[in-house]
Amino acid sequence: MATEKKHKLKVIPLGGLGEIGKNMTVIEYGSNIVVIDCGMSFPDDEMLGIDIVIPDITYLIKNKDKIKGILLTHGHEDHIGNIPYLLKKINVPIYGTRLTLGLVQNKILEHKIEDASLNVVEAGQTINLGCFKVKFIRGNHSIPDAVGFAIDTPIGMVVHTGDFKIDFTPIDDDVMDLGTYAELGRKGVLLAMSDSTNVERQGFSASERTVGDKFVESFKNCESRILVATFASNIHRVQQVINAAVAYGRKVAVSGKSMINNIDVAQELGYLDIPDGTLINVNDLKKYKDNEIVLITTGSQGEPMSALTRIANSDHKKIQIKQGDLVIISASAIPGNEKTVSRVINMLYEKGAIVYYDALTQVHVSGHARRDELKLMLSLLKPKFFIPVHGEYRHLVQHARLAEEMGIPADHTVIGKNGDVIELTSKSISKNNTVTSGNILVDGLGVGDVGNIVLRDRKLLAENGLIIIVLSTEKGTGKVLAGPEIVSRGFIYVRENIDLIEESKMVVRKALAKCADTKVKEWNNIKMIIKDALSSFIYEKIRRNPMILPIIIEVDPEDITGSIEEFEKFADFSDYDEE
């Protein structure tokens, strides 16, 4: 240990700073690394066709022999969603509470990973990982079994709160362990890292039970079907829907793969209490009257393929909105999802549904601490140094200012960015370097094979469409044998713009003639000259910038049987202009 004390403690966020989601933080001392969380985020509007976004783990791959384990705070996707992708690169032990690992197990099975090391740890338990001693501390959040960590390092105590709120009446009656946080504060905390999501909101977060009261009120006099959309991992919310359904004699059906999977896991592990006979299959909905049915579904964020969005679009095979249906969207829109959520709400209204959502009535409460709860946490911990985590940059700045109000000097707080190497001694904290970080894009089964250039091309195609120029040339001479033909996709309707197409062909012919005059024979150069000439012409003509893709087929005349005229007819691409 004497040798280890020569090292500085490093805190390296690989995700979760300056953003909501993709949470991942490295704690490193000498030859020891533990990683807190391993999450993903959803793509923004610019990431066309992307399914999810995960952190770049290049640094962990380079230092895989140092990693003692991954510590999970809770089972939300932004904290566990990257685990299957990481395990395919590096196989390291994972530590979490029972429900968290139950949800992780589902992912591992789906990805067909067979040798994962999942280790269940109860709140209040301490484990040894290399030079670190890690205590799991019970918390409250919008999912059961959430924890924070007290990590005893060779130079002092590091506390990570995880996502938390202070709820004195939680659904499972497991109140957050504020006593342990207070005891840590009395003994001395070197560094605190705390959830910043709700720092802009005054006061205390409402208890989860207030949503249950609203469900009871909504169910009481409702004679129509009830559809409740919420996060699949919000097990407490699901329990309250079931409680209200049972109270008013309704059966409960579930739609959405992730919702079905999570309810199965939570019920199997004892985190959901569902009376026998309450759950029914979606296929059996027609056997019951409208006032005997509740449907729990995914889609609270307006995800295109989610059950609620498909229902709103009339694309769901088994469920259609009826006039008077009550739809409760029991979630707030994640930043960036506001438009998609609004679109779903509008479609539901158009089909005659009654819609309750966060802006109208309290059918959702946050799982994140507001300002007064954050103040309470800082007052309990009394940390020497502070790093605000889990939030967009403005949240981190506001939390840093709040810490200063609570007596933590401004130069003892670091507002980090993903990839920063934040180094600590017992007397100092500073940013001293950076490591590789950023977004890895997952598109179908492809991980990281879509980058900025591909996204740029997708954006250009989406905004301006595509023109393909196809022509055949004689090998050796460069003489045009057939074409040019022009194929358009997403640019113009060719049959209604014959004049523009013919003028475009003339521009291509002139560009080819220019190449012949200047003795340009290199294919790439010819393609670039064609592309530049046609691009300038189209922009001047109609002020658009389609993607232009020249295709030149080089043909040896000796290989052609029949006349050139027959070959030209064979090589005519005009029939492929439109679907």
Side-chain angles (χ1 to χ4, degrees):
M1 189 63 69
T3 304
E4 292 280 22
K5 286 188 177 180
K6 294 178 182 178
H7 297 287
K8 290 183 178 180
L9 182 71
K10 296 178 182 178
V11 177
I12 308 171
L14 296 180
L17 294 193
E19 60 186 351
I20 302 294
K22 204 157 63 65
N23 297 283
M24 193 174 209
T25 304
V26 175
I27 309 293
E28 180 176 350
Y29 191 87
S31 59
N32 302 270
I33 286 178
V34 291
V35 182
I36 299 175
D37 287 329
C38 189
M40 48 76 74
S41 63
F42 293 106
D44 60 34
D45 291 341
E46 300 292 310
M47 297 177 181
L48 301 175
I50 299 305
D51 297 323
I52 64 170
V53 184
I54 57 178
D56 189 321
I57 60 167
T58 299
Y59 184 78
L60 292 179
I61 293 171
K62 289 180 179 177
N63 292 276
K64 62 183 180 181
D65 294 336
K66 294 183 179 181
I67 302 172
K68 308 305 178 185
I70 296 175
L71 308 168
L72 301 178
T73 57
H74 63 284
H76 280 158
E77 289 293 325
D78 58 330
H79 295 260
I80 67 170
N82 184 33
I83 286 176
Y85 303 99
L86 178 138
L87 289 178
K88 291 173 184 177
K89 300 284 187 181
I90 47 175
N91 192 358
V92 295
I94 297 171
Y95 299 86
T97 51
R98 277 198 311 139
L99 178 60
T100 302
L101 292 187
L103 297 174
V104 169
Q105 181 68 37
N106 259 0
K107 293 181 172 296
I108 287 171
L109 291 174
E110 185 179 339
H111 285 258
K112 299 179 180 178
I113 298 171
E114 298 179 353
D115 54 350
S117 172
L118 304 183
N119 303 274
V120 174
V121 183
E122 298 292 336
Q125 189 177 340
T126 299
I127 60 174
N128 295 318
L129 297 175
C131 68
F132 303 117
K133 289 184 178 179
V134 183
K135 182 167 187 174
F136 283 54
I137 308 171
R138 185 171 63 246
N140 292 138
H141 189 39
S142 53
I143 186 172
D145 257 7
V147 293
F149 302 119
I151 304 173
D152 193 4
T153 79
I155 66 166
M157 183 64 68
V158 174
V159 175
H160 192 294
T161 65
D163 291 6
F164 80 97
K165 65 187 286 184
I166 298 174
D167 190 344
F168 294 109
T169 57
I171 302 305
D172 55 11
D173 295 324
D174 285 332
V175 178
M176 186 172 184
D177 188 358
L178 296 177
T180 292
Y181 284 113
E183 181 63 24
L184 290 167
R186 282 192 292 270
K187 291 180 177 178
V189 172
L190 175 68
L191 171 68
M193 292 179 279
S194 182
D195 178 5
S196 307
T197 311
N198 264 349
V199 68
E200 295 175 330
R201 305 179 73 179
Q202 299 292 334
F204 281 79
S205 295
S207 172
E208 178 66 27
R209 286 189 187 271
T210 61
V211 179
D213 296 339
K214 193 64 186 179
F215 285 156
V216 170
E217 179 186 326
S218 301
F219 284 32
K220 186 175 182 180
N221 299 313
C222 183
E223 292 300 318
S224 62
R225 295 189 305 176
I226 300 174
L227 291 79
V228 182
T230 190
F231 289 110
S233 57
N234 198 337
I235 304 302
H236 286 326
R237 195 70 48 86
V238 170
Q239 181 67 68
Q240 295 195 96
V241 174
I242 289 168
N243 292 346
V246 170
Y248 291 98
R250 290 179 180 257
K251 300 295 184 182
V252 178
V254 182
S255 181
K257 179 181 176 183
S258 58
M259 183 68 76
I260 293 168
N261 289 342
N262 287 1
I263 287 177
D264 286 345
V265 170
Q267 192 174 13
E268 182 181 337
L269 296 176
Y271 290 89
L272 273 178
D273 179 16
I274 306 177
D276 292 342
T278 300
L279 289 181
I280 61 171
N281 193 287
V282 170
N283 295 322
D284 296 331
L285 286 174
K286 292 181 180 179
K287 297 179 181 179
Y288 298 88
K289 297 177 182 177
D290 287 354
N291 63 1
E292 296 175 339
I293 295 170
V294 176
L295 178 71
I296 302 176
T297 178
T298 55
S300 64
Q301 298 303 303
E303 304 95 318
M305 296 307 295
S306 66
L308 183 64
T309 301
R310 286 185 285 122
I311 291 168
N313 274 326
S314 299
D315 290 336
H316 200 286
K317 294 180 180 179
K318 300 174 182 177
I319 305 162
Q320 301 294 322
I321 288 294
K322 295 181 181 180
Q323 184 76 26
D325 279 348
L326 174 60
V327 181
I328 300 173
I329 300 178
S330 186
S332 59
I334 294 171
N337 290 352
E338 295 87 354
K339 287 183 180 179
T340 55
V341 173
S342 179
R343 189 180 303 120
V344 169
I345 291 172
N346 285 327
M347 289 191 294
L348 291 168
Y349 272 126
E350 287 173 5
K351 288 176 171 57
I354 300 164
V355 188
Y356 290 173
Y357 50 99
D358 198 29
L360 292 183
T361 185
Q362 195 169 29
V363 290
H364 173 70
V365 295
S366 176
H368 299 273
R370 293 190 178 191
R371 286 183 74 86
D372 285 348
E373 294 159 273
L374 298 176
K375 286 181 180 179
L376 177 55
M377 180 58 71
L378 287 169
S379 70
L380 291 175
L381 292 176
K382 303 180 184 68
K384 187 171 186 178
F385 301 111
F386 180 59
I387 301 174
V389 296
H390 200 290
E392 296 178 4
Y393 199 79
R394 72 179 194 272
H395 300 134
L396 307 182
V397 171
Q398 290 296 328
H399 205 173
R401 291 175 180 172
L402 183 67
E404 191 173 1
E405 290 176 22
M406 297 298 295
I408 299 173
D411 61 355
H412 281 209
T413 294
V414 168
I415 301 173
K417 293 182 179 180
N418 294 335
D420 283 343
V421 178
I422 303 169
E423 294 186 341
L424 291 101
T425 68
S426 59
K427 297 179 180 179
S428 67
I429 184 171
S430 60
K431 287 191 286 188
N432 291 328
N433 207 339
T434 59
V435 302
T436 301
S437 67
N439 295 333
I440 300 296
L441 308 180
V442 179
D443 184 356
L445 297 177
V447 180
D449 57 348
V450 175
N452 290 332
I453 293 174
V454 174
L455 286 181
R456 183 199 64 194
D457 287 347
R458 287 183 180 182
K459 189 170 186 291
L460 181 60
L461 287 167
E463 292 175 349
N464 298 299
L466 169 70
I467 292 177
I468 303 174
I469 303 110
V470 185
L471 57 96
S472 301
T473 62
E474 185 177 40
K475 186 175 182 180
T477 67
K479 178 184 175 182
V480 176
L481 298 177
E485 296 298 339
I486 292 181
V487 180
S488 167
R489 287 292 179 270
F491 169 56
I492 55 171
Y493 187 54
V494 170
R495 291 173 186 170
E496 293 181 358
N497 293 273
I498 298 299
D499 291 344
L500 180 62
I501 294 298
E502 290 303 321
E503 290 179 67
S504 298
K505 289 181 180 179
M506 186 59 67
V507 170
V508 175
R509 291 189 186 103
K510 287 179 179 178
L512 289 168
K514 179 183 175 182
C515 292
D517 292 342
T518 55
K519 300 191 184 312
V520 176
K521 295 183 179 180
E522 185 68 34
W523 277 24
N524 287 336
N525 292 339
I526 294 172
K527 288 179 180 180
M528 188 60 67
I529 290 169
I530 293 172
K531 184 176 177 182
D532 290 345
L534 189 55
S535 178
S536 298
F537 166 74
I538 290 173
Y539 185 79
E540 184 178 332
K541 198 78 174 176
I542 58 174
R543 292 295 188 270
R544 294 189 198 171
N545 286 304
M547 179 179 284
I548 297 173
L549 183 62
I551 298 176
I552 301 174
I553 304 169
E554 191 178 51
V555 179
D556 190 334
E558 294 181 1
D559 294 335
I560 301 175
T561 58
S563 67
I564 291 295
E565 289 75 16
E566 289 174 329
F567 175 74
E568 287 177 343
K569 185 178 179 181
F570 170 77
D572 185 358
F573 287 83
S574 59
D575 288 342
Y576 298 90
D577 285 348
E578 307 295 341
E579 293 280 346

